[in-house]
Amino acid sequence: MRILVTGGAGFLGSNLCERLVKDPENYVYCLDNLQTGRMENIRELLDKPNFRFIEHDIVEPIELEVDQIYNAACPASPPAYQADPVHTLKTSVFGILNMLELARKHNATVLQFSTSEVYGDAQVHPQPETYWGNVNPDGIRSCYDEGKRAAETLCFDYHRRYGVKIKVIRIFNTYGPKMDPNDGRVISNFVNQALRGEDLTVYGDGKQTRSFCYVDDLIEGIVRMMNSPDEVTGPVNLGNPGEFTMLELAEEVLEQTGSQSKLVFHDLPKDDPKQRRPDITKAKQLLGWEPKVPLREGLAKTIEYYTGLMLRA
Ligand code: UDP
């Protein structure tokens, strides 16, 4: 199986490459423009005979003969995707167009990394795939949310119009090793702040909720989706339904790190969703998948990873 992973040096992409390379029957092309991806994430894969890294921005077309395409390329952390919003939108829209064209040419399957952000500030809770969402089309999150929504549309249109094999997953908040410590996301911020003895930055009153999935669980769901029968196109939610407030998360991080850090409260960013939890009924039925790693256990592994990074720095 010749497999392309775009965004392969990013958090999810690199964890996926690591998993795919373990099978000697696979040959993995890892594509990344290194905007937010990090060579550090794939360093141990570079000398594997069935792995090849290509520095490339998927906004531009590329020619590769492949059987499967995992399209993970796009900055996903709000500060990162808001830094160059026009390029973020191009990454989602031109990126998926280029991948769908490649798939059409080589009869490959495209799996699109979509997101719970397509539900916006959801008014239905928990969110099933049938919910159409509540997205601000011209706010600061729109470059990401609308880009991902348009990418889903393109997948389904290429499928209906040209018969391209597609799979769309909607990924909820995920955490774990290889997540950039400077990503600006809540788990990487809280853990690194606690380890450095700095204040934990809680945005708003900290009562907003998120559901956090450990990365190994997510990767298992993603690979199952890719290898599901062709008629399973999705969209399928992948995430952990365990729901926590940011205050509960902060407490858990402080307890596990034994840190004396205090909480400081900052303004809530604009359009920040108040509640988020996946309805994973469909993933259970179609893929026989559900997350196994509870937050407590996944956090311990994440703390270990960031502690290791700090010791090496
Ligand atoms: N958040 C926080 N402190 C931080 C970073 C984020 O309280 O240092 C909040 C943020 O406002 C949001 C939640 O944590 O309500 C999750 O944020 P993240 O950026 O991790 O993911 P997303 O907003 O994309 O779900």
Side-chain angles (χ1 to χ4, degrees):
M1 196 66 84
R2 296 157 303 177
I3 306 174
L4 170 60
V5 179
T6 76
F11 166 46
L12 299 182
S14 61
N15 275 287
L16 176 62
C17 285
E18 196 180 320
R19 156 85 185 250
L20 296 172
V21 160
K22 280 189 186 136
D23 183 345
E25 302 275 295
N26 291 336
Y27 188 92
V28 179
Y29 294 99
C30 165
L31 222 74
D32 207 297
N33 69 349
L34 300 177
Q35 185 191 343
T36 54
R38 297 179 302 146
M39 289 307 286
E40 140 103 26
N41 284 343
I42 53 168
R43 198 185 308 131
E44 280 157 27
L45 303 179
L46 291 172
D47 60 359
K48 306 270 185 217
N50 59 341
F51 180 82
R52 186 173 149 208
F53 172 69
I54 303 170
E55 188 171 342
H56 179 83
D57 188 332
I58 56 154
V59 164
E60 304 298 332
I62 186 161
E63 174 50 36
L64 283 172
E65 247 182 72
V66 288
D67 307 298
Q68 294 186 335
I69 303 170
Y70 290 90
N71 189 38
C74 192
S77 149
Y81 69 65
Q82 287 161 19
D84 188 350
V86 175
H87 191 260
T88 298
L89 199 74
K90 281 185 181 169
T91 303
S92 279
V93 176
F94 296 173
I96 191 66
L97 267 173
N98 286 328
M99 292 308 118
L100 288 163
E101 282 297 334
L102 194 62
R104 191 176 165 196
K105 188 166 167 195
H106 297 293
N107 192 28
T109 304
V110 180
L111 184 146
Q112 168 64 6
F113 282 48
S114 191
T115 166
S116 56
E117 284 286 327
V118 301
Y119 301 124
D121 193 3
Q123 292 179 334
V124 168
H125 194 73
Q127 293 84 52
E129 292 84 352
T130 45
Y131 178 51
W132 288 354
N134 178 35
V135 172
N136 177 353
D138 40 37
I140 56 171
R141 292 177 92 98
S142 318
C143 61
Y144 185 72
D145 300 6
E146 297 291 14
K148 289 287 189 179
R149 287 173 68 98
E152 284 199 10
T153 308
L154 280 163
C155 286
F156 286 99
D157 281 335
Y158 264 71
H159 177 65
R160 283 185 289 254
R161 187 81 205 253
Y162 306 117
V164 172
K165 291 174 280 181
I166 59 129
K167 312 231 165 237
V168 174
I169 51 166
R170 293 181 177 156
I171 301 171
F172 285 64
N173 297 62
T174 304
Y175 68 100
K178 300 193 173 185
M179 184 174 220
D180 187 344
N182 301 311
D183 205 24
R185 312 200 83 181
V186 70
I187 291 196
S188 48
N189 276 3
F190 282 2
V191 171
N192 284 286
Q193 288 160 346
L195 291 175
R196 287 193 221 104
E198 295 168 1
D199 293 338
L200 269 55
T201 52
V202 177
Y203 300 165
D205 59 10
K207 291 187 182 144
Q208 70 273 36
T209 68
R210 292 291 187 276
S211 303
F212 298 104
C213 186
Y214 187 64
V215 65
D216 290 358
D217 279 336
L218 183 85
I219 298 297
E220 176 62 30
I222 291 174
V223 172
R224 282 192 195 198
M225 181 69 176
M226 177 59 105
N227 295 297
S228 62
D230 286 351
E231 60 272 19
V232 178
T233 56
V236 174
N237 287 338
L238 292 181
N240 190 323
E243 185 181 357
F244 298 86
T245 65
M246 296 312 103
L247 290 176
E248 288 167 337
L249 175 68
E251 267 168 36
E252 183 66 35
V253 169
L254 289 179
E255 193 189 313
Q256 286 204 27
T257 53
S259 167
Q260 301 299 311
S261 294
K262 304 270 173 290
L263 306 188
V264 288
F265 290 85
H266 290 207
D267 288 344
L268 189 69
K270 198 166 175 310
D271 293 338
D272 198 278
K274 284 178 275 307
Q275 266 190 318
R276 183 182 288 156
R277 173 154 60 102
D279 178 334
I280 59 164
T281 312
K282 214 170 155 184
K284 282 186 191 163
Q285 281 169 353
L286 293 173
L287 312 174
W289 175 87
E290 66 182 311
K292 296 198 164 61
V293 183
L295 183 64
R296 175 171 283 265
E297 201 182 309
L299 260 185
K301 292 184 186 178
T302 308
I303 292 168
E304 193 184 314
Y305 169 73
Y306 285 130
T307 307
L309 274 192
M310 273 183 191
L311 291 175
R312 273 189 277 145

